């Protein structure tokens, strides 16, 4: 594998091959976690649980993906991103296999909600926090392209697993997903490199004015604590939590929303694919555009678009209108989700990036733990998702305002 990487490094700047690895890791992580929406009803029937109880599995998984990132960042600083990617892939595979053979709710919670989540946490951290160390001049372009794997995962995995569920049952669908994850993970690990010097790459093409580090954390814990306890960091953390709350509500509940509102379950499954297509295409455009107009500014604008589209989902009267609405949602998601690593580096620097990114990613864990179960409980009480999507959309817009405040504080 070392010979493969050095050979590729002789042909082009190796950072672009790391982009490919991060792209595939994003496919694995987000395609798998967002496939929960198509497993939702089968899980409810198989484990005889309520909507709220099964939403807890998704909430715990989401929370652990981001909450365990703080611990993952320490392992990355010791052993490097490539080893963490390998270990994380094995954990994710084991968690999916355990899910396929689960016959009790607690087993499902442990396998899909905990073991698989820790595996996803490692892949997520290295795929989003590694690239800013390889790119500066085209940082938005690189992170945008890599994060487009999220959209591809949404397009491929949820519809594919839904078809497998209908044809062979949910257990076979989970095993097939585990096999798919294993194949992509092998490619991820083969291509990953911890730093430019490891493969003989010249980083001056991206850092013409020099760089502070060659991929190490290089900053003391005391300085990290100073950053994460600063007012700008805390404001951005709160803003991200609010911005991404409607994301988890829509992706976790849109299939059930369309089924219950008369728009049809198939419309909900298709809407996830539409989000995947639009967010993939938009990230290819938004990333390069953000390099020109400003990455934090682009993030804020897209967060407002994401919240507004969530409100529109609540009132979509027909399947075509809903699909058009979620397409706009996907564009907003492109700017928010695609630029998180780049915005972290832009606002708070490259040093200790894995640690800073992991702490900021706690916002996703908080949003993912609270929002889906709250949305499920609210739906059970109200009998409709309309007030749910409306309220969370407003929260997302207000979160964009907080992020804008944090950006001004760092200026």
């Amino acid at each position: 594998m070392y010979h493969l990487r050095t050979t590729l490094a002789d042909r082009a700047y190796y950072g672009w091959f790391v982009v490919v690895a991060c792209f595939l890791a994003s496919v694995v992580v987000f395609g798998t976690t967002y496939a929960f929406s198509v497993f939702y009803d089968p899980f409810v029937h198989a484990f005889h649980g309520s909507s709220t109880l099964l939403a807890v599995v998704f909430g715990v998984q989401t929370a652990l993906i981001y909450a365990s990132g703080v611990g993952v960042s320490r392992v990355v600083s010791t052993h490097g991103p490539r080893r963490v990617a390998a270990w994380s892939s094995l954990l994710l595979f084991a968690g999916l296999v355990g899910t396929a053979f689960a016959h009790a709710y607690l087993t499902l919670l442990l396998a899909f909600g905990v073991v698989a989540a820790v595996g996803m946490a490692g892949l997520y951290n290295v795929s989003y926090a590694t690239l800013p160390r390889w790119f500066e001049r085209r940082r938005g372009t690189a992170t945008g392209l890599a994060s487009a794997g999220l959209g591809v995962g949404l397009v491929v995995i949820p519809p594919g697993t839904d078809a497998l569920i209908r044809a062979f049952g949910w257990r076979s669908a989970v095993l097939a997903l585990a096999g798919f994850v294993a194949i992509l993970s092998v490619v991820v690990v083969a291509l990953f490199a911890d730093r430019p010097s490891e493969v003989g790459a010249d980083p001056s093409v991206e850092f013409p004015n020099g760089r502070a580090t060659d991929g190490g954390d290089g900053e003391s814990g005391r300085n990290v604590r100073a950053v994460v306890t600063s007012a700008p960091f805390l404001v951005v953390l709160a803003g991200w939590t609010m911005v991404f709350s409607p994301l988890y509500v829509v992706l976790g509940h849109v299939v059930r929303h369309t089924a219950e509102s008369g728009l049809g379950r198939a419309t909900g499954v298709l809407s996830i694919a539409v989000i995947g297509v639009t967010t993939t295409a938009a990230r290819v455009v938004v990333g390069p555009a953000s390099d020109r107009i400003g990455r934090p500014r682009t993030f804020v604008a897209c967060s407002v678009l994401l919240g507004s589209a969530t409100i529109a989902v609540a009132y979509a009267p027909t399947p075509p209108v809903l699909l058009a609405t979620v397409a706009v949602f996907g564009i907003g998601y492109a700017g928010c989700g695609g630029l998180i690593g780049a915005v972290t580096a832009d606002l708070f620097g490259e040093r200790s990036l894995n640690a800073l990114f992991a702490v900021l990613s706690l916002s996703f864990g908080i949003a993912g733990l609270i929002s889906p179960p709250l949305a499920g409980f609210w739906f059970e009480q109200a009998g409709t998702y309309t007030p749910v999507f409306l309220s969370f959309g407003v929260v997302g817009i207000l979160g964009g305002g907080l992020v804008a405040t944090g950006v001004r504080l760092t200026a």
Side-chain angles (χ1 to χ4, degrees):
M1 288 186 183
Y2 176 77
H3 179 71
L4 168 67
R5 290 180 289 153
T6 54
T7 300
L8 293 174
D10 289 337
R11 298 176 181 272
Y13 178 56
Y14 197 80
W16 295 111
F17 296 104
V18 179
V19 168
V20 174
C22 293
F23 173 92
L24 294 176
S26 294
V27 171
V28 167
V29 171
F30 293 101
T32 301
T33 189
Y34 292 144
F36 179 83
S37 61
V38 299
F39 285 112
Y40 203 135
D41 285 339
F43 281 172
V44 168
H45 290 101
F47 297 97
H48 309 290
S50 66
S51 297
T52 302
L53 192 62
L54 268 298
V56 168
V57 176
F58 181 63
V60 168
Q61 182 190 84
T62 302
L64 282 177
I65 289 174
Y66 304 112
S68 59
V70 176
V72 167
S73 69
R74 295 178 180 175
V75 180
V76 170
S77 66
T78 303
H79 298 284
R82 189 163 182 261
R83 287 186 178 180
V84 171
W87 297 335
S88 300
S89 298
L90 288 174
L91 279 174
L92 175 55
F93 178 78
L96 290 174
V97 172
T99 299
F101 291 97
H103 289 279
Y105 173 79
L106 288 179
T107 307
L108 173 70
L109 181 63
L110 177 63
F112 196 70
V114 178
V115 177
V118 174
M120 285 187 251
L123 288 172
Y124 165 76
N125 186 280
V126 299
S127 65
Y128 274 75
T130 298
L131 286 176
R133 292 200 177 104
W134 288 81
F135 293 89
E136 181 182 62
R137 186 167 58 88
R138 293 170 290 184
R139 180 174 288 168
T141 301
T143 56
L145 290 174
S147 70
L150 180 151
V152 173
L154 286 177
V155 171
V156 173
I157 294 180
T161 52
D162 185 62
L164 290 171
I165 289 170
R166 287 186 278 108
F168 304 106
W170 71 266
R171 295 184 188 276
S172 296
V174 175
L175 285 175
L177 177 58
F180 182 71
V181 164
I183 293 170
L184 291 189
S185 296
V186 168
V187 180
V188 169
V189 176
L191 289 178
F192 228 104
D194 291 346
R195 57 187 64 86
S197 60
E198 182 181 309
V199 292
D202 179 10
S204 65
V205 297
E206 280 295 323
F207 298 85
N209 298 319
R211 58 182 297 140
T213 73
D214 185 26
D217 271 357
E219 186 170 338
S220 70
R222 178 180 301 175
N223 289 333
V224 172
R225 286 193 294 272
V227 174
V228 301
T229 56
S230 66
F233 191 93
L234 294 174
V235 169
V236 171
L237 177 65
W240 280 23
T241 302
M242 296 171 68
V243 165
F244 289 101
S245 289
L247 171 69
Y248 294 115
V249 170
V250 171
L251 290 175
H253 289 271
V254 67
V255 175
R256 194 164 181 83
H257 163 61
T258 57
E260 297 293 337
S261 64
L263 298 177
R265 185 177 187 276
T267 301
V269 174
L270 180 59
S271 70
I272 295 177
V274 170
I275 293 172
V277 170
T278 54
T279 198
T280 300
R283 285 171 195 234
V284 174
V285 176
V286 169
S290 72
D291 287 332
R292 295 190 297 272
I293 65 178
R295 291 178 284 265
R297 181 183 301 174
T298 303
F299 180 97
V300 171
C302 288
S303 67
V304 174
L305 186 63
L306 182 73
S308 301
T310 302
I311 295 172
V313 167
Y315 296 99
T318 63
V321 173
L322 177 72
L323 294 176
T325 299
V326 296
V328 176
F329 181 94
I331 296 171
Y333 186 20
C336 296
L339 296 176
I340 51 178
V343 169
T344 302
D346 287 348
L347 295 181
F348 305 109
E350 292 175 46
R351 288 186 178 273
S352 296
L353 183 57
N354 284 90
L356 295 176
F357 181 76
V359 176
L360 271 179
S361 293
L362 290 174
S363 60
F364 308 132
I366 296 168
L369 179 63
I370 296 174
S371 300
L374 178 59
F377 175 78
W378 196 342
F379 166 74
E380 290 181 338
Q381 300 303 308
T384 174
Y385 276 106
T386 299
V388 178
F389 289 128
L390 171 62
S391 299
F392 276 100
V394 171
V395 167
I397 293 172
L398 294 176
L402 270 184
V403 174
T405 301
V407 172
R408 287 194 294 272
L409 291 174
T410 61

